[in-house]
Amino acid sequence: MQRTSLEALARQQLELAAAAGGGHTAETVYGSHEKVLRQTVIGMTEGASLAEHENPGEATVQVLHGHVRLSAGEVSWEGRTGDLLIVPDSRHSLEALENSAILLTVAKLP
């Protein structure tokens, strides 16, 4: 069995995001592009965003630290530390309203 501290990874990704040119960094915790399930910790500085993109399958965003906004068209949802957001099955984007770290879980549809 493998144990991973999401709190430690969140801190690490926030530090790396602060130094990154695009304002966000990511580390896959479990799975890969070849697997059905993939979990990734993403650190984002305030104002950074993940541009609008398609949902490759079923996905959730767990806010590990901070405050984010998930948007799909004219609809948006905000999440704070401890919240779980269900990613809509449509084009969407994510913006950090303050320095934030999330756990993105994706199960790719066949």
Side-chain angles (χ1 to χ4, degrees):
M1 183 179 114
Q2 179 182 344
R3 186 177 77 82
T4 301
S5 171
L6 294 177
E7 287 185 20
L9 274 175
R11 280 192 305 271
Q12 176 192 48
Q13 291 306 306
L14 281 169
E15 290 172 8
L16 291 171
H24 58 82
T25 59
E27 181 175 330
T28 298
V29 178
Y30 178 82
S32 65
H33 290 289
E34 294 80 32
K35 301 280 188 179
V36 172
L37 180 66
R38 185 174 72 240
Q39 293 183 293
T40 305
V41 173
I42 301 172
M44 303 173 71
T45 58
E46 181 177 352
S49 64
L50 302 178
E52 188 176 78
H53 57 279
E54 295 292 335
N55 186 345
E58 296 178 346
T60 61
V61 169
Q62 179 182 354
V63 184
L64 301 173
H65 175 81
H67 185 193
V68 298
R69 178 182 299 124
L70 175 66
S71 300
E74 299 296 318
V75 182
S76 66
W77 305 266
E78 290 189 15
R80 296 180 184 273
T81 302
D83 288 346
L84 181 70
L85 303 173
I86 309 301
V87 178
D89 187 21
S90 61
R91 291 187 63 78
H92 60 278
S93 61
L94 185 72
E95 176 186 6
L97 302 176
E98 61 184 52
N99 290 346
S100 302
I102 63 160
L103 175 65
L104 172 64
T105 301
V106 176
K108 291 188 297 185
L109 298 174

